[in-house]
Amino acid sequence: MNSQPWRFVVIEDPEVKKKLLRAALPQAKKITELVKDVDPERYASIKKRYEELPDPVYYSAPAIVFVIGNGRYAAHSCPLACENMMLAAHALGLGSCWVGFGAMVTDDAEVKKILELKEDDAIFGPILLGYPKVSPARPPKKEPKVKWL
Ligand SMILES: Cc1cc2nc3c(=O)[nH]c(=O)nc-3n(C[C@H](O)[C@H](O)[C@H](O)COP(=O)(O)O)c2cc1C
């Protein structure tokens, strides 16, 4: 099949990053309010980020990679492309973060134009890339549910 239903838009330009943040932040804040009663702890930590960081969506990352998919195979292939990119980044000593909030830019006409988004395009990621300042300890791993037959 080899559909490769993706394309990539890599943003390094500070002016474009500002536009992205202006488009995504109000949406991210709206979604955050939905978490308030469901998960107060998570809500508090996200709110803290909004207060403390100059860019609480894309974390001032040097590169923002939008993975844009189209067609029936995009929903499967594009997240795999994202993860492969994150694994490759790690192998190269880079840090990465998938920021779902960063995809909430589709109400902004200027950003849509920059990303050349068509009606049936979907954004996966975006994936942030940069050299990490810290290496957090690995979180405890849950036992996977596996049935052997
Ligand atoms: C689909 C998806 C969306 C995410 N969106 C965000 C986001 O908007 N902002 C953020 O800081 N991290 C985001 N993350 C990263 C997670 O917060 C978390 O750091 C990452 O998934 C690793 O932790 P985990 O192993 O507990 O999932 C996202 C991760 C995934 C898989």
Side-chain angles (χ1 to χ4, degrees), residues 7 68-71 106-107 109 112-113 115-123:
R7 61 190 175 87
I68 297 168
N70 191 292
T106 50
D107 284 349
K112 269 171 84 174
K113 207 167 159 195
L115 298 176
E116 296 176 27
L117 269 192
K118 290 175 205 75
E119 250 342 285
D120 50 356
D121 280 348
I123 298 174

Side-chain angles (χ1 to χ4, degrees), residues 58-127:
Y58 305 99
Y59 306 118
S60 310
I64 305 168
V65 185
F66 281 83
V67 179
I68 297 168
N70 191 292
R72 62 193 291 208
Y73 299 111
H76 304 93
S77 299
C78 292
L80 292 170
C82 289
E83 172 144 35
N84 286 341
M85 198 188 305
M86 295 171 88
L87 292 172
H90 180 73
L92 293 168
L94 286 156
S96 66
C97 186
W98 180 318
V99 282
F101 280 157
M104 296 175 187
V105 291
T106 50
D107 284 349
D108 188 293
E110 198 183 355
V111 170
K112 269 171 84 174
K113 207 167 159 195
I114 290 167
L115 298 176
E116 296 176 27
L117 269 192
K118 290 175 205 75
E119 250 342 285
D120 50 356
D121 280 348
I123 298 174
F124 297 85
I127 306 296

Side-chain angles (χ1 to χ4, degrees), residues 124-144:
F124 297 85
I127 306 296
L128 309 183
L129 295 173
Y131 287 98
K133 288 195 180 127
V134 292
S135 317
R138 192 174 159 169
K141 197 163 188 272
K142 291 179 192 159
E143 253 332 287

Side-chain angles (χ1 to χ4, degrees), residues 1 16 33 38 41 46 49-50 85 114 120 140 142 149:
M1 171 46 80
V16 178
E33 287 308 308
V38 190
E41 210 174 299
I46 299 174
R49 277 199 318 241
Y50 291 149
M85 198 188 305
I114 290 167
D120 50 356
K142 291 179 192 159
L149 297 170

